[in-house]
Amino acid sequence: MYELLKGLTVVEAAAFIAGPTCGLYLGQFGAEVIRIDQIGGGPDFRRWPLAPSGDSLYWEGLNKAKKSVVIDLARPEGRELAQRLATAPGDSRGLFVTNFPVDGFLSYERLKALRDDVICVRVMGWADGRPALDYTINAAVGVPWMTGFADDPRPVNHAFPAWDFITGAYAALSLVSAERARRLGAGGCEVRVPLSDIAATALANFGLLAEVLVGGADRPRQGNDVFGAFGRDFVIKGGERVMVVAITPRQWRAILRTLDLEAAVAGLEAELGVSFAGHEAVRYQHRERLYPLFEAAFAGRTSDELAPAIEAEGVCWSTYRTLGEAAKDARLFAGNPVFGHADQPSGLDYPVPGPAATLIGPKRGAPAPAPRLGAHTDEVLADLLGLSSGEIGRLHDAGLVAGAVK
Amino acid sequence: MYELLKGLTVVEAAAFIAGPTCGLYLGQFGAEVIRIDQIGGGPDFRRWPLAPSGDSLYWEGLNKAKKSVVIDLARPEGRELAQRLATAPGDSRGLFVTNFPVDGFLSYERLKALRDDVICVRVMGWADGRPALDYTINAAVGVPWMTGFADDPRPVNHAFPAWDFITGAYAALSLVSAERARRLGAGGCEVRVPLSDIAATALANFGLLAEVLVGGADRPRQGNDVFGAFGRDFVIKGGERVMVVAITPRQWRAILRTLDLEAAVAGLEAELGVSFAGHEAVRYQHRERLYPLFEAAFAGRTSDELAPAIEAEGVCWSTYRTLGEAAKDARLFAGNPVFGHADQPSGLDYPVPGPAATLIGPKRGAPAPAPRLGAHTDEVLADLLGLSSGEIGRLHDAGLVAGAVK
């Protein structure tokens, strides 16, 4: 937990990954993030995977570093409370993150009527308001047909919801940027961040759209071969598989040296009349001739033989391993200062991540846990809306809000 | 192009995707982003895919909305210029994005000595400074072994470099957050954003690390089946494949209605003694019994028959298509207001994206192109460092800087 955003108060009404990661990142950078959920939890509250207690490991991962308010959002008075929280007065407030529909009770129009300079960041599926998920957007933009092996007739989705995570980070950037503009006099705005546009712009941003329009051909499926460079997976002695990529001339010389391939590759260069020493694309163009040399070299060496040389030389590589195996890697998880322990709702003790960024200077602080559902209802109603205990009590009596379930 | 970050000046010395997307997003939100490259271009300058002209479509996609300065970074005087640009005085300056090594000439220590409150956002491979790429980090954290089909013995990398893109967006968030803190009196800092920590925290953030540590079992490879919910790919009449996900009770009822499966599913519920109407996990647990019903229903219907009903009902779906096919979808690219035209270095005319976010209120503005390499060298040296024409001329004569190549 860092304090870069200390002083900001963000209200979040969003389920699943994109909206909640936005709030998570802001909270881990020190903003006060107040999450609104339906009493009993929203559609993501019991999402798998679950702890033995039935608590969702998914939910408590995504909603760390936040406060929790629960409201009956099915009733008009409950919806009005949510609107009022989103538009609470004060320079540091009126900052709202949501994935609720553009036209519903949390529309920008309705919020702006309550607070003219409200900032609303709205994550969406399709830009036109139609629903979508990471996995359907992924199919729509063509990525499953460029993923995996050419000999498999089936398209391959991401198992990891990349579009959700990019959207969440981009939404957080949008909120902090809009808040800066507001503080400098620009007024508020709604910022819409649709998964569909995140995906479309991402593919265009590194040249894939232009490539297919200009060249007329889709990027082929080529297993784990890196496009345009020398990199792919190789099986080493013992059967383990490694991913190896040599991008720069220095890395290329290093991998040839490590594998004793300098002579063989020089012979190939002479035969083909090319030099592989310079631009990576030349190695890519002739990879079908290079791969057999590398396959044989890797197949004759174990991980222990390869690792020291490869790592010393700055070549990018990794063994393929499962997450279970990776979990034992101190550099990634258990011994990584980014991870710590926190009192999570599930009661389980496992390494919990703080922010992915590491600041040089400020102290990191322990990772903040997820809240118990409803733990902050009363505190937030008093703090943001100035409600008295009596008023808050009447909301509880009416079943419009609830506290933590004991 | 929006103006949320107007007034900020960010200097970028970074190659490939993570650092440059950070600068791209900041530039598209209105910051002045000044990119430093080696004279003639850095290691990414000719990265595939290329236009017929030889210009890189990759580079001109990632470096839109930036200015370009070229310096001979191999010589001490050139390195000093880069350091001075990164630490140029002024409230709106001293904001630097880089992927250069932590200990090199662009180290935080060296920059801080020139400007005590400099903010440096450093994207990295491994957190300990070892080099890595998206594709090697992906292998290291276990994602290729949870991607693809169980009947394939090979791990499947992402073809799309998700970790690079998340890192870039998170780095941009970090920069704007640190700038806010500095403006409020906190001083500067270095923010390190390693791909390894972005990946490790992402997997932990939605429960996968806890799942494997608590349950003891890795997430299985299950093709395109969505974990914990009802969603997978189906082949429809005519052979096309669709991705369909029904998350909420309403979407579930809708898909049953669309496919005339209400009776069959009710029968299955009676046989199993469960209800699929409520929590999505129940459908997931019994998916092996549900899938055959859906497979048959989809196989008997064409896209034209399915689309209106599915879309009207708010079910999340998409046909699987290639990027080439998606490129014809006006909602994604050609007719999408996020895209426009820009005078790119390659000279090619193709749809160019502006920022993925759409602001309600401010006008979007045309997408900014990438710069010609070196186009802004003189302007930036005068503006940020206050160099005179004579001084700048001497730097050109010494070959320490260059302008645009005609």
Side-chain angles (χ1 to χ4, degrees), chain B residues 190-228:
Chain B
E190 166 149 303
V191 185
R192 293 182 183 171
V193 191
L195 285 175
S196 62
D197 286 338
I198 286 286
T201 58
L203 294 183
N205 278 339
F206 74 123
L208 263 65
L209 177 68
E211 177 188 39
V212 74
L213 291 174
V214 167
D218 281 293
R219 183 159 290 192
R221 305 176 90 187
Q222 42 186 32
N224 301 325
D225 298 5
V226 177
F227 179 80

Side-chain angles (χ1 to χ4, degrees), chain A residues 362-389:
Chain A
K363 200 167 157 1
R364 175 175 268 278
R372 272 67 178 165
L373 200 68
H376 307 91
T377 301
D378 292 5
E379 166 199 319
V380 166
L381 291 174
D383 191 18
L384 264 69
L385 302 186
L387 300 189
S388 67
S389 321

Side-chain angles (χ1 to χ4, degrees), chain A residues 245-337:
Chain A
V245 189
I247 295 285
T248 64
R250 181 171 168 266
Q251 289 172 339
W252 175 248
R253 286 193 303 273
I255 194 66
L256 295 188
R257 200 161 44 238
T258 302
L259 298 176
D260 278 317
L261 285 176
E262 287 153 309
V265 168
L268 189 57
E269 285 174 315
E271 181 202 324
L272 297 170
V274 301
S275 168
F276 295 128
H279 197 271
E280 56 183 346
V282 183
R283 300 167 216 147
Y284 180 70
Q285 281 171 306
H286 297 283
R287 64 195 184 282
E288 298 303 332
R289 296 298 307 277
L290 288 165
Y291 286 158
L293 302 175
F294 282 77
E295 283 161 12
F298 275 115
R301 292 166 169 77
T302 64
S303 184
D304 288 344
E305 288 163 350
L306 287 163
I310 285 187
E311 302 225 347
E313 300 277 17
V315 175
C316 298
W317 90 313
S318 175
T319 53
Y320 280 85
R321 52 194 189 177
T322 62
L323 178 57
E325 292 161 346
K328 300 172 196 150
D329 183 343
R331 294 175 304 199
L332 271 176
F333 296 112
N336 182 349

Side-chain angles (χ1 to χ4, degrees), chain A residues 47 140 183 205 280 321, chain B residues 47 64 140 183 280 321:
Chain A
R47 213 132 205 253
R183 194 150 18 82
N205 279 338
E280 56 183 346
R321 52 194 189 177
Chain B
R47 214 135 205 251
K64 296 189 293 288
R183 196 151 16 83
E280 55 182 349
R321 52 194 188 177

Side-chain angles (χ1 to χ4, degrees), chain A residues 53-385:
Chain A
S53 59
D55 292 286
S56 166
L57 298 170
Y58 169 103
W59 196 91
E60 75 182 25
L62 291 161
N63 296 299
K64 296 189 292 288
K66 300 176 190 173
K67 293 181 175 174
S68 170
V69 172
V70 291
I71 300 176
D72 183 0
L73 299 170
R75 291 156 65 184
E77 302 93 325
R79 295 178 165 195
E80 194 197 309
L81 275 175
Q83 293 166 336
R84 289 175 63 193
L85 287 170
T87 58
D91 285 349
S92 68
R93 293 168 175 169
L95 301 168
F96 184 52
V97 175
T98 189
N99 75 333
F100 274 70
V102 293
D103 297 329
F105 72 98
L106 291 169
S107 72
Y108 178 50
E109 205 173 8
R110 285 174 179 77
L111 298 178
K112 192 167 153 70
L114 293 173
R115 177 174 172 154
D116 186 68
D117 68 348
V118 69
I119 289 167
C120 177
V121 174
R122 192 178 306 272
V123 300
M124 302 173 64
W126 284 96
D128 64 9
R130 285 174 301 128
L133 297 170
D134 182 284
Y135 310 106
T136 58
I137 289 296
N138 201 37
V141 297
V143 171
W145 280 125
M146 53 176 98
T147 305
F149 293 88
D151 57 18
D152 192 324
R154 303 165 292 191
V156 177
N157 285 357
H158 290 157
F160 169 73
W163 305 120
D164 281 334
F165 276 86
I166 299 168
T167 298
Y170 195 93
L173 165 67
S174 299
L175 186 137
V176 182
S177 301
E179 194 278 332
R180 175 184 177 280
R182 184 173 79 179
R183 194 150 18 82
L184 298 177
C189 63
E190 165 149 304
V191 185
R192 293 184 182 170
V193 191
L195 285 175
S196 63
D197 287 338
I198 286 285
T201 58
L203 295 182
N205 279 338
F206 73 124
L208 264 64
L209 177 68
E211 176 188 40
V212 75
L213 290 175
V214 167
D218 281 293
R219 183 161 289 194
R221 306 176 88 188
Q222 42 185 32
N224 300 326
D225 298 6
V226 177
F227 180 79
F230 184 85
R232 73 145 20 169
D233 52 335
F234 296 95
V235 180
I236 65 178
K237 191 174 182 186
E240 220 178 356
R241 195 175 285 257
V242 297
M243 181 69 191
V244 180
V245 189
I247 295 285
T248 64
R250 181 171 168 266
Q251 289 172 339
W252 175 248
R253 286 193 303 273
I255 194 66
L256 295 188
R257 200 161 44 238
T258 302
L259 298 176
D260 278 317
L261 285 176
E262 287 153 309
V265 168
L268 189 57
E269 285 174 315
E271 181 202 324
L272 297 170
V274 301
S275 168
F276 295 128
H279 197 271
E280 56 183 346
V282 183
R283 300 167 216 147
Y284 180 70
Q285 281 171 306
H286 297 283
R287 64 195 184 282
E288 298 303 332
R289 296 298 307 277
L290 288 165
Y291 286 158
L293 302 175
F294 282 77
E295 283 161 12
F298 275 115
R301 292 166 169 77
T302 64
S303 184
D304 288 344
E305 288 163 350
L306 287 163
I310 285 187
E311 302 225 347
E313 300 277 17
V315 175
C316 298
W317 90 313
S318 175
T319 53
Y320 280 85
R321 52 194 189 177
T322 62
L323 178 57
E325 292 161 346
K328 300 172 196 150
D329 183 343
R331 294 175 304 199
L332 271 176
F333 296 112
N336 182 349
V338 168
F339 284 74
H341 291 267
D343 178 25
Q344 288 284 57
S346 67
L348 292 177
D349 186 24
Y350 55 85
V352 172
T358 294
L359 270 59
I360 306 302
K363 200 167 157 1
R364 175 175 268 278
R372 272 67 178 165
L373 200 68
H376 307 91
T377 301
D378 292 5
E379 166 199 319
V380 166
L381 291 174
D383 191 18
L384 264 69
L385 302 186

